[in-house]
Amino acid sequence: MGSPSCEHTSCTAHSPFYISHPHADTKMAWLDEAEDIKPPRSLLGLPELSWQGVYRPHYNRLAIAENPWVLRMTESPASAAPLSYTPEPSPPASSLIQDSPTETGGQLEECSLEQVQTMVVGEVLKDIDIACKLLNIAPDPQDWSCVHVQKWLLWTEHLYRLPQVSTMFKELTGRDLCSMTEADFKQHSLQFGDMLYAHLDIWRSAAALKERSPAEDSKSAAAADDDDSWSDVMCNYPSQPIHLWQFLRELLLKPRNYSRCIRWLNKEKGIFKIEDSAHVARLWGIRKNRPAMNYDKLSRSIRQYYKKGIIRKPDASRRLVYQFVNPV
DNA sequence: CATTAGGAACATT
DNA sequence: AATGTTCCTAATG
């Protein structure tokens, strides 16, 4: 078992960006794969016990490599080739794209270069977005504190399987980092400075892109009719502890996205039905960073609400049907 | 068989 | 102290 090493090392030569790698989509794919799997503990391919030993909900130093969620998020080829960056004052987007990625043949010929480019850029932005939420940092490197920089470095180490580079960039803010040249980076780390510089440049370009066209967040959510608009599941980062009943309401209020797993039977009375208990439990587990969450445990939490008068069983008790005591 | 119901111990905020 | 999580036993359909 061990490390999910990637056998697609060959594509690094063709696709300079890790996001165009065939495995780039595993961050979503695991959710889809798990669709058919009943017990959530097998969702991660980890026995529950080994998980408990590893799980650290709050680490001072991000133990990313130990966090199965993260591991499945954005895998990159071990030999992730640094993007051959050419410093030119062209629009930032162009530094994200320079070669059409050799994706799954066929349909690619039909796509225009621009389509491919926007696709790739979209993937990059998505990845950055996810990283931001996981690390709880701003997308724009300029806004980073020293702590944020360290987090980002640790994340990048993980992405590219680098041996602790972060120690060589002590006490630097995001602003410091951005003002450094490629040569400066090389000075800090002879081997990986260029890679870090290139990766940072992607983030900077993405931040610059975002500034140009803000409020572009719903693009992919609208395109994919799949029920995985991540902002609902991954918290928008300040996120104080959310209550289960709030979470369920959130899902219920977005039937477009979640009606396949939870829906109102009678919205006025607050009666709802969980159509896919495993799926709802999985979403809840993602939100709370509880990979071992399942319906058995989720329902236990719902049952705690009986006493508190938040949720109850409706008068005619039915399987997987609950009722908010005070619907709004 | 999945679901329901709660007791109990534990963890996190 | 409040709110969940984990685990468990027993009952239900």
Side-chain angles (χ1 to χ4, degrees), chain A residues 134-152:
Chain A
L134 285 166
L135 304 175
N136 196 17
I137 62 176
D140 190 346
Q142 292 276 353
D143 301 334
W144 293 345
S145 69
C146 301
V147 178
H148 297 154
V149 169
Q150 287 301 309
K151 280 183 173 186
W152 178 82

Side-chain angles (χ1 to χ4, degrees), chain A residues 235-247:
Chain A
C235 29
N236 304 321
Y237 27 105
S239 100
Q240 266 99 351
I242 187 175
H243 295 292
L244 176 56
W245 62 269
Q246 293 176 310
F247 181 74

Side-chain angles (χ1 to χ4, degrees), chain A residues 120-130 206-207 209-210 219:
Chain A
V120 173
V121 170
E123 286 302 305
V124 174
L125 293 179
K126 240 189 276 174
D127 276 17
I128 288 178
D129 213 44
I130 287 168
L209 258 187
K210 259 195 175 166
K219 61 185 179 336

Side-chain angles (χ1 to χ4, degrees), chain A residues 203-312:
Chain A
W203 279 64
R204 280 187 351 214
S205 304
L209 258 187
K210 259 195 175 166
E211 200 162 335
R212 272 192 199 177
S213 56
E216 262 248 59
D217 264 52
S218 53
K219 61 185 179 336
S220 55
D225 69 334
D226 224 34
D227 45 326
D228 297 316
S229 64
W230 277 80
S231 48
D232 302 325
V233 180
M234 304 296 278
C235 29
N236 304 321
Y237 27 105
S239 100
Q240 266 99 351
I242 187 175
H243 295 292
L244 176 56
W245 62 269
Q246 293 176 310
F247 181 74
L248 294 175
R249 254 218 245 277
E250 272 182 32
L251 299 187
L252 283 161
L253 290 177
K254 310 199 176 176
R256 223 196 89 69
N257 294 329
Y258 302 108
S259 62
R260 255 147 282 162
C261 58
I262 183 171
R263 59 175 246 269
W264 293 113
L265 289 188
N266 185 333
K267 190 169 178 181
E268 288 68 44
K269 291 185 177 173
I271 300 175
F272 62 95
K273 169 158 188 179
I274 295 171
E275 299 283 0
D276 184 340
S277 58
H279 196 185
V280 173
R282 204 157 56 235
L283 294 174
W284 175 236
I286 292 170
R287 175 53 100 70
K288 291 293 294 292
N289 198 12
R290 258 30 249 233
M293 182 51 60
N294 56 25
Y295 182 68
D296 184 41
K297 290 183 268 199
L298 184 149
S299 64
R300 184 70 190 90
S301 289
I302 292 181
R303 268 176 255 128
Q304 309 267 45
Y305 289 146
Y306 294 171
K307 262 198 290 197
K308 299 189 222 285
I310 298 172
I311 288 177
R312 64 182 182 97

Side-chain angles (χ1 to χ4, degrees), chain A residues 9 14 44 56:
Chain A
T9 47
H14 306 293
L44 297 166
R56 303 278 185 286

